[in-house]
Amino acid sequence: MTRKKQRDEKLAANLTELTRKQGQWREVLMRLVRNKVGMFGAILCIALVILCIGAPLFTKWDPYEQAVINKFIYPGREHIFGTDDFGRDLWARLIYGGRYSLLIAFGATCFSTCMGVLLGSIAGYFGGRTDLLITRFLDILQAIPSLLLAIAISSALGSGPFNTMLAISMGGIAGGARMMRSVVMSIRGNEYIEAAKATGSSNARTIATHVLPNTIAPLIINASLSIGGNIMSISGLSFIGLGVQAPTPEWGSILAVGKTYIRDFWPLVVFPSMFIAITIFGFNLFGDALRDALDPKLKD
Amino acid sequence: MAKYIIKRILWMIPVMLGVLIIVFTISYLTPGDPVITILGSGYTPEKYAAKAAELNLDKGYFGQLGSYIWGIVTRFDFGKSFYSNLSITGEFARRFPITAALGIFGCIIMVVLGLPLGILSAVKQYSVLDYTLTVIALVLAAMPGFVLAILGLVLFGVRLRWLPITGLDTPKSWILPLATNAMPCVAMIMRQTRTNMLEVIRQDYIRTARSKGLSERTILWKHALKNCLIPIITVTGGMVAMVMAGSIITENIFNIKGMGTYMYAAIMQRDYPIVNGCVLLIAFIVCCVNLIVDICYALIDPRIRARYASSGKKHKKKAHKEVT
C-alpha cells in the first residue's frame, strides 16, 4: 500500500517536473498512458492498422484470386475464417479490405476537419455578418442527417474510394465547424490577439499563428471521436451498394454479400460484422481516452 | 415564449429551402442524362424533346428548380418517378406511416430502456451492475444498426428460428427491426444519462434536498432527473435523425416496404426525383424534431424560458457589442 502511494507521489512529482520542463503535451501523454481502458482501445487500433498495412505478411492468400471449387469452406486450418462465395480467403479479404475502410475513414476525418477549421475559424474570428452567414449554412447542412447526406452525395458521385471519402466527410463538416467557431470565439477576446493585431499582423497571420495553435486540443478530440462514426458510415454505404463495391474487399460490401447467404453460411456474416464492431469499439475507447487526457476538466 | 416558437417555426422555412436547393443541385450536377437512360439507345430527337418536356428537364437550372419548389409548396407534389410514372407523393402516403411507426416505437423503446438504465448505473456507480451496463453500452455503441440486425437475423432468425426474418406481417416480426433501430441509441442515451446524472447528484442542491429529509426517490426523480434532462433530450433528438436516416439500411435488411426501401430502389435506379423527395421529407422531420427539442428545453428549464422572454433585448446588446 505504502509502496503504491510512494509510486503515485513519485509519479505526481515527475508529472509536475515534466510539465515545467516539456510543456503540456508530455503531461497529456502521461495521462493518456495511465488510462487503461484507453490504452486497450489504442492497442486494438494499432493492431488493426498494422494488420491492414502489413496484410501480405499475415496471410498467404490473395484477396482477389477466385477458386470456385473452394467456395463456402468453413473456418479451418487452411482458411482460418473460411472462404466466400467465389472461394476467396475471407481472412485475407478482411485484412486487405481494412485498408480501404481505415484509409477512407482517416481521409474523411482529415477532410471534414480541415473544412470545419476553415469555416469555423472564419465564422468565429470575424463574427458579425460572416458568422451569421456561415452559421446559417451550417444549420442547413445539419438538417440533413449525415448518413443521408452521404447517401445522396455518393449516389450522385458514384461509387469508389475517393467519392465515398468525399461523401462521408460532408456530414462531419458542420459539427467540426460549430465546435471550432465556439472555441475561436472564446479565444478571440484574449489580450494576446489584441496585441497581435496592435503590432500589425494581418488577419490571416493572426489566425494561423495565434488562434489555431490554441484550438488543437478540441480539434484532436473532435477528429478522434468522429473516426468510429465514419467507419460506421463507410461500411453502411458499401453495405447498401454505394461506397466501395465488389470485387474491392471492404467490410461493408463483404457483409452485403454475406447477407445473401445468411441462411446457409454464417462466417461470411459474422466475421465482417466482428471486424467492423471491433474497429469502432477500439476507436471509440481511444477517442474517449484522448478526450479525457486532453481536457481533464471534462472528466472531473 | 409564443413569439419564440413562431420565430423558430419561421426559421424552418429558409432552412428547408436551403436543404431543397442543396439536394436539387446535387442531383442536377450528377453526370449522365436521365432522358437517355430512360429512352435507351434508339431515340429520335423529337422523342427526346417530348420526354424531356414531360419530365420537366428541358428548362435550365433555375427553371427546373423553380418549378420543383412551386410544385412542392403549392400542391405538395414532389414530381414523378422517372421510370414508373407514379406520383411520389402518393407513394409517400403509403410508405411513410410504416417508417414513422418503426421510428416512433423505436424512440419510445430507447427512452424507456435507456433512461432508467442510465440512472441505475449512475446511482450504483462502480458496482458490478454499473460496469456490466457500461461494457454493454460500449459494445452496442460500436455496432452499427445493420451489423446488429444481421447478427440478430443469424442468431434469432436462422439458427434459433424464433423470429421471422423479413416483412412486418406478424407482431413478432416487429421485434428485430425495432431492436435494430433502438439498441445503438439505447446505449448512447444510457451513457449520456449516466454522465449527467453523476454530475447532478454531486451538486449542492441535492445535498440540500437530502438534508431536508426528502426520500431518495423524490430526490432522484424530481430534483436530479429534471436537472439532467436537457443533454439527454438533445441526444434523443439526434437519435431520431439517426433512426430516420438508418431506416434506409434497416428496411433494406428486413425487406420492409417503407421509405427506406423506396429510396434504396430509387438510388439503385438513379431515380433522382424520388431520392430528392425522400431526403427532403426526412430533413423536414429532423427539423421538426429539432423544433420540438428546442421547445422542450424551454418547458423544462425556467432559466432558458427566461432567456427567451428577454431575447429581444439581448440581441440588441450583442449587436452593440459587435460594433464596438
Side-chain angles (χ1 to χ4, degrees):
Chain A
M1 203 60 206
T2 44
R3 235 175 116 187
K4 200 183 167 213
K5 206 176 164 191
Q6 251 175 5
R7 204 181 60 199
D8 277 356
E9 266 167 15
K10 211 172 154 192
L11 204 66
N14 274 346
L15 220 73
T16 39
E17 184 76 359
L18 277 172
T19 318
R20 214 155 12 102
K21 266 187 192 157
Q22 271 131 341
Q24 63 194 119
W25 290 107
R26 209 43 186 282
E27 195 191 337
V28 166
L29 200 67
M30 292 289 279
R31 269 201 296 263
L32 191 63
V33 171
R34 278 198 297 170
N35 186 336
K36 278 187 200 125
V37 181
M39 280 336 279
F40 175 66
I43 290 168
L44 271 183
C45 298
I46 293 168
L48 267 160
V49 171
I50 292 174
L51 210 58
C52 294
I53 293 175
L57 299 174
F58 299 102
T59 178
K60 57 178 179 175
W61 299 100
D62 181 340
Y64 292 100
E65 199 184 285
Q66 302 182 359
V68 187
I69 319 166
N70 292 335
K71 70 176 179 183
F72 298 131
I73 294 176
Y74 278 92
R77 190 173 288 169
E78 190 70 355
H79 298 279
I80 46 172
F81 279 3
T83 57
D84 70 356
D85 53 332
F86 286 106
R88 295 170 292 202
D89 184 70
L90 190 56
W91 165 251
R93 280 183 74 71
L94 285 173
I95 55 178
Y96 276 98
R99 290 177 170 184
Y100 289 95
S101 307
L102 294 178
L103 204 65
I104 296 171
F106 285 131
T109 307
C110 287
F111 187 75
S112 62
T113 307
C114 290
M115 287 299 289
V117 166
L118 198 68
L119 286 175
S121 55
I122 290 173
Y125 184 78
F126 291 106
R129 223 178 245 165
T130 327
D131 179 34
L132 198 74
L133 207 69
I134 292 178
T135 344
R136 292 308 180 233
F137 175 67
L138 295 178
D139 271 348
I140 293 167
L141 217 54
Q142 269 186 328
I144 314 175
S146 55
L147 181 65
L148 207 61
L149 190 64
I151 286 172
I153 294 174
S154 89
S155 79
L157 291 177
S159 57
F162 184 74
N163 289 345
T164 311
M165 192 205 86
L166 219 58
I168 286 175
S169 55
M170 287 298 157
I173 292 176
R178 258 178 215 290
M179 184 219 68
M180 191 68 192
R181 171 178 170 268
S182 60
V183 174
V184 171
M185 276 172 99
S186 72
I187 290 172
R188 193 180 54 171
N190 286 341
E191 277 94 354
Y192 57 81
I193 302 295
E194 212 170 310
K197 274 191 192 156
T199 51
S201 51
S202 65
N203 280 331
R205 193 186 149 81
T206 315
I207 292 182
T209 58
H210 300 288
V211 178
L212 288 187
N214 287 300
T215 61
I216 285 179
L219 266 184
I220 293 176
I221 294 171
N222 190 51
S224 67
L225 285 176
S226 67
I227 288 181
N230 280 347
I231 290 175
M232 225 179 247
S233 309
I234 294 160
S235 44
L237 278 186
S238 305
F239 181 74
I240 59 169
L242 297 163
V244 184
Q245 281 180 332
T248 312
E250 201 278 336
W251 296 337
S253 57
I254 298 174
L255 190 59
V257 174
K259 195 205 143 208
T260 2
Y261 302 105
I262 193 167
R263 284 169 198 274
D264 314 300
F265 190 68
W266 60 266
L268 209 45
V269 167
V270 173
F271 291 123
S273 307
M274 258 173 48
F275 260 76
I276 295 172
I278 290 174
T279 312
I280 298 172
F281 187 64
F283 278 107
N284 282 353
L285 288 186
F286 182 58
D288 282 347
L290 209 56
R291 181 193 56 202
D292 293 344
L294 281 167
D295 199 348
K297 267 174 285 167
L298 276 177
K299 205 183 174 186
D300 298 333
Chain B
M1 186 66 199
K3 205 172 150 197
Y4 168 73
I5 294 175
I6 291 169
K7 226 163 120 188
R8 191 66 185 63
I9 291 174
L10 285 178
W11 170 232
M12 272 172 72
I13 297 171
V15 169
M16 284 314 297
L17 209 62
V19 171
L20 197 151
I21 292 172
I22 289 180
V23 169
F24 182 83
T25 311
I26 291 173
S27 70
Y28 182 81
L29 294 176
T30 303
D33 188 337
V35 181
I36 297 176
T37 326
I38 295 163
L39 291 175
S41 50
Y43 61 87
T44 56
E46 294 83 48
K47 246 184 169 176
Y48 181 93
K51 194 75 189 172
E54 186 197 326
L55 294 174
N56 213 354
L57 290 172
D58 52 346
K59 297 172 206 149
Y61 171 76
F62 288 105
Q64 285 182 38
L65 180 64
S67 60
Y68 187 57
I69 295 176
W70 185 250
I72 292 172
V73 173
T74 54
R75 301 187 301 269
F76 200 65
D77 179 10
F78 287 93
K80 277 177 181 169
S81 155
F82 278 164
Y83 301 96
S84 67
N85 220 15
L86 284 172
S87 144
I88 295 173
T89 311
E91 202 73 6
F92 277 175
R94 213 170 35 244
R95 287 168 177 266
F96 183 67
I98 301 171
T99 306
L102 270 178
I104 291 169
F105 286 133
C107 290
I108 293 174
I109 292 174
M110 71 200 192
V111 173
V112 166
L113 274 180
L115 202 65
L117 286 179
I119 295 173
L120 204 64
S121 165
V123 172
K124 305 216 187 280
Q125 198 190 4
Y126 301 133
S127 68
V128 180
L129 182 80
D130 178 30
Y131 282 123
T132 322
L133 284 175
T134 307
V135 170
I136 291 175
L138 279 172
V139 171
L140 279 179
M143 295 252 198
F146 62 98
V147 168
L148 211 65
I150 290 260
L151 292 180
L153 274 181
V154 171
L155 186 62
F156 298 111
V158 179
R159 292 268 132 186
L160 300 170
R161 294 180 187 284
W162 286 350
L163 302 169
I165 63 173
T166 55
L168 275 183
D169 310 320
T170 55
K172 246 181 162 180
S173 57
W174 283 73
I175 296 176
L176 275 180
L178 279 179
T180 309
N181 273 349
M183 276 308 151
C185 306
V186 168
M188 269 186 235
I189 292 181
M190 203 170 96
R191 280 178 76 186
Q192 187 72 44
T193 311
R194 179 178 181 271
T195 317
N196 293 116
M197 204 66 185
L198 282 177
E199 214 167 275
V200 167
I201 51 180
R202 297 212 180 98
Q203 299 288 330
D204 290 338
Y205 52 79
I206 298 294
R207 199 181 312 143
T208 313
R210 273 213 187 98
S211 58
K212 274 200 303 190
L214 291 178
S215 73
E216 273 303 305
R217 194 194 238 163
T218 325
I219 294 171
L220 207 61
W221 290 100
K222 241 186 134 180
H223 295 251
L225 185 63
K226 221 173 167 182
N227 276 298
C228 72
L229 265 182
I230 288 215
I232 298 168
I233 289 175
T234 314
V235 171
T236 313
M239 298 291 106
V240 176
M242 222 173 92
V243 167
M244 288 307 295
S247 72
I248 181 165
I249 296 177
T250 317
E251 290 180 6
N252 180 31
I253 294 172
F254 295 103
N255 201 10
I256 296 164
K257 302 260 174 296
M259 295 281 294
T261 36
Y262 189 43
M263 190 173 164
Y264 175 73
I267 288 170
M268 290 301 121
Q269 278 190 309
R270 317 231 143 198
D271 202 341
Y272 293 111
I274 298 180
V275 180
N276 290 354
C278 289
V279 175
L280 276 180
L281 191 64
I282 292 174
F284 179 67
I285 291 159
V286 171
C287 274
C288 292
V289 170
N290 287 343
L291 175 73
I292 296 170
V293 165
D294 275 1
I295 295 174
C296 278
Y297 287 169
L299 288 180
I300 291 166
D301 195 334
R303 282 168 300 191
I304 294 181
R305 204 161 33 211
R307 206 186 310 152
Y308 288 152
S310 62
S311 66
K313 276 178 238 158
K314 219 165 192 177
H315 269 295
K316 264 178 215 156
K317 234 182 188 171
K318 217 173 166 188
H320 183 66
K321 216 175 170 184
E322 225 113 55
V323 170
T324 49

